[in-house]
């Protein structure tokens, strides 16, 4: 299988490339952590593209149980059909709904399986998947058969660090934390999404963006995806780089800040900073 080097749509740092290729070589699940908006989920999509492999996605919710990934047996439908005299009741397979692991294990070509936001489920969820991910097989009681993967899928698991994952689960994964991109990497990411964008606008926008992220007391730091949304709006409204450079007291909140600041506490924080800055400027000799 070819090595992952990033794609035309996805800027991968050197250490991320190493992590992806190591996980593929070891045939271990790749556990990706990082701030929301750092491209964890997109990585699986781009990895599937790069490997020319089918992608199977399992988006985990708070109510998700491990058995949902294997299969679900619809006993209620079978009982109803038996009361109606439906011939389908004679084959229990008609009432088994394949889960994402079943799909991945029986895919005709080696797939990429994304288990997205595993930390949203309860703490038992990762442990309940250990055996299946280790052995790449599971038993179906209703049909007395074992579903076994002929080829191990490439497994990418993402976590937003909402809760700690069990040690036994972590031992079986190759781990990588996606650090928030530095200014140079971010500039490369912006160029991928907006080829030929005005360099002065990008320079001023990045300065403002990182200043906002570094503001003490900020509840939610803006992410890469929010920066890209903001840049798109700046381009649509044809905002001049000089507008972003202005640091007068009344201009501390950047234009179209709703793309970057996503809760009232952070907006109030910048309003307070602007107010304090105006007061400082209004003092005699200030």
């Amino acid at each position: 299988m070819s090595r992952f080097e990033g794609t035309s749509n996805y800027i991968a740092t050197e250490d991320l490339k190493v992590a992806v290729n190591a996980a593929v070589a070891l045939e271990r699940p790749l556990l990706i952590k990082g701030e929301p908006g750092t491209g964890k989920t997109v990585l699986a999509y781009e990895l599937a593209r790069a490997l020319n492999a089918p992608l199977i996605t399992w988006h985990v919710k708070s109510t998700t149980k491990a058995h949902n990934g294997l299969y679900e047996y619809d006993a209620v439908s079978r009982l109803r059909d038996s009361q109606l005299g439906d011939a389908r009741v004679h084959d229990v397979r008609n009432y088994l709904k394949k889960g994402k692991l079943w799909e991945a294990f029986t895919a005709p070509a080696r797939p990429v399986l994304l288990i997205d936001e595993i930390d949203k489920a309860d703490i038992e969820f990762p442990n309940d998947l250990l055996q299946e991910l280790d052995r790449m097989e599971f038993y179906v009681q209703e049909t007395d058969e074992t579903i076994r993967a002929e080829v191990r899928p490439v497994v990418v698991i993402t976590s937003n660090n909402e809760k700690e994952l069990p040690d036994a689960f972590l031992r079986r994964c190759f781990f990588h934390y996606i650090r928030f991109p530095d200014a140079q990497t971010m500039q490369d990411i912006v160029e991928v999404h907006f080829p030929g964008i005005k360099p002065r606008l990008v320079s001023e926008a990045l300065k403002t963006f990182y200043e906002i992220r570094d503001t003490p007391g900020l509840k939610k730091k803006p992410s890469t995806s929010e920066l890209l949304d903001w840049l798109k709006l700046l381009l649509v409204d044809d905002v001049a780089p000089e507008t972003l450079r202005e640091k007068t007291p009344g201009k501390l909140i950047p234009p179209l800040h709703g793309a970057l600041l996503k809760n009232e506490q952070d907006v109030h924080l910048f309003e307070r900073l602007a107010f304090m800055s105006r007061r400082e400027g209004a003092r005699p000799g200030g």
Side-chain angles (χ1 to χ4, degrees), residues 42-112:
V42 178
L43 170 65
Y45 285 79
E46 294 303 321
L47 177 57
R49 273 187 58 197
L51 300 178
N52 198 23
L55 175 70
I56 296 170
T57 57
W58 184 12
H59 297 291
V60 177
K61 301 175 184 174
S62 59
T63 54
T64 304
K65 302 295 180 192
H67 69 81
N68 299 141
L70 307 180
Y71 67 94
E72 292 177 63
Y73 170 49
D74 191 351
V76 174
S77 291
R78 193 180 190 195
L79 176 62
R80 187 187 62 232
D81 287 350
S82 69
Q83 290 168 342
L84 295 171
D86 193 319
R88 294 172 76 246
V89 298
H90 300 301
D91 188 351
V92 71
R93 287 178 178 79
N94 291 323
Y95 303 93
L96 296 180
K97 183 187 176 188
K98 295 178 182 178
K100 298 298 183 179
L101 285 181
W102 190 328
E103 283 182 38
F105 288 2
T106 56
R110 186 185 195 186
V112 172

Side-chain angles (χ1 to χ4, degrees), residues 25 41 49 95-97 146 150 188 191 201 214 252:
T41 302
R49 273 187 58 197
Y95 303 93
L96 296 180
K97 183 187 176 188
T146 298
E150 295 302 321
D188 295 340
E191 183 62 36
L201 177 65
D214 292 340
L252 283 178

Side-chain angles (χ1 to χ4, degrees), residues 209-229:
F209 174 74
Y210 281 103
E211 281 170 9
I212 290 173
R213 279 186 57 88
D214 292 340
T215 302
L218 199 67
K219 186 177 179 187
K220 185 199 171 300
K221 294 182 177 185
S223 67
T224 306
S225 56
E226 287 157 340
L227 168 67
L228 296 173
D229 284 347

Side-chain angles (χ1 to χ4, degrees), residues 216-260:
L218 199 67
K219 186 177 179 187
K220 185 199 171 300
K221 294 182 177 185
S223 67
T224 306
S225 56
E226 287 157 340
L227 168 67
L228 296 173
D229 284 347
W230 185 49
L231 276 169
K232 186 174 182 179
L233 292 173
L234 294 177
L235 288 169
V236 167
D237 279 23
D238 200 19
V239 175
E242 294 74 27
T243 307
L244 299 179
R245 198 179 304 138
E246 287 180 36
K247 293 298 176 196
T248 54
K251 299 278 187 180
L252 283 178
I253 300 185
L256 302 160
H257 63 267
L260 299 174

Side-chain angles (χ1 to χ4, degrees), residues 76-149:
V76 174
S77 291
R78 193 180 190 195
L79 176 62
R80 187 187 62 232
D81 287 350
S82 69
Q83 290 168 342
L84 295 171
D86 193 319
R88 294 172 76 246
V89 298
H90 300 301
D91 188 351
V92 71
R93 287 178 178 79
N94 291 323
Y95 303 93
L96 296 180
K97 183 187 176 188
K98 295 178 182 178
K100 298 298 183 179
L101 285 181
W102 190 328
E103 283 182 38
F105 288 2
T106 56
R110 186 185 195 186
V112 172
L113 170 64
L114 168 63
I115 304 177
D116 200 25
E117 299 190 325
I118 195 170
D119 51 326
K120 278 201 169 150
D122 67 48
I123 195 64
E124 291 307 316
F125 179 84
N127 277 338
D128 290 345
L129 281 179
L130 283 181
Q131 184 169 309
E132 286 74 20
L133 289 176
D134 247 3
R135 298 185 182 176
M136 286 289 158
E137 65 178 43
F138 64 89
Y139 177 67
V140 182
Q141 189 173 341
E142 287 77 8
T143 58
D144 189 26
E145 64 180 324
T146 298
I147 304 300
R148 190 175 288 110

